[in-house]
Amino acid sequence: MAVNNLQFGAAVDEWVRATEQRMLAVFRESTQRVASIAANGVPVDTGFARASVRGSLQQMPQIDSANKGAKDQRYAADFGNITLVIAGAQLGQTIYIGWTAAYILPLEYGHSQQAPAGFVRIAAAQWQRIVNDVTAEAKTRAARD
């Protein structure tokens, strides 16, 4: 079958757009899963440390030495900011996810009275497996469609 250059160009463009959309979907979903694993791994007493998670496309959220929360208050997990940042990310951008609670580093790395939780390192170590899983899931969905 003869195909002219315009038809070929349109077909290639459509394929490229679909590929870019799939890559973006895998990027965003993989990032969301890693962020969820990390956030859910934060040790919870009042929930303040876990609730201090923030996301940005510009820079790493900074730890605030005054950000300790109220002693007897309970804090609910709210990952809405993270979800919005990830949803707005484009391929090639860096997504920064960090916690702003003053005591987040001792929770991650441990201290004299508490073993390290390692929630960030544990989640980050799963990146490649998660990307592979999300890619496989996307391929399965594409094969069904």
Side-chain angles (χ1 to χ4, degrees), residues 37-44 49-51 99 104 107 117 119:
I37 290 167
N40 288 317
V42 175
V44 175
R50 182 182 55 193
W99 287 259
I104 203 69
L107 290 178
F119 50 93

Side-chain angles (χ1 to χ4, degrees), residues 22-98:
R22 288 182 190 118
M23 286 174 50
L24 181 58
V26 168
F27 169 60
R28 288 176 177 167
E29 179 61 23
S30 297
T31 303
Q32 186 69 52
R33 290 184 190 186
V34 169
S36 293
I37 290 167
N40 288 317
V42 175
V44 175
D45 180 15
T46 65
F48 182 77
R50 182 182 55 193
S52 77
V53 68
R54 300 289 179 270
S56 173
L57 296 175
Q58 286 74 44
Q59 65 183 11
M60 179 60 78
Q62 298 298 303
I63 295 171
D64 179 352
S65 61
N67 199 10
K68 297 178 182 175
K71 183 175 172 62
D72 294 322
Q73 185 172 340
R74 299 284 181 233
Y75 298 86
D78 180 4
F79 307 129
N81 167 261
I82 303 301
T83 300
L84 287 174
V85 168
I86 292 169
Q90 299 301 314
L91 288 174
Q93 284 188 296
T94 300
I95 300 172
Y96 299 95
I97 298 172

Side-chain angles (χ1 to χ4, degrees), residues 18 22 134-145:
R22 288 182 190 118
V134 173
T135 300
E137 292 166 14
K139 286 179 179 179
T140 300
R141 277 193 306 277
R144 286 191 302 233
D145 293 345

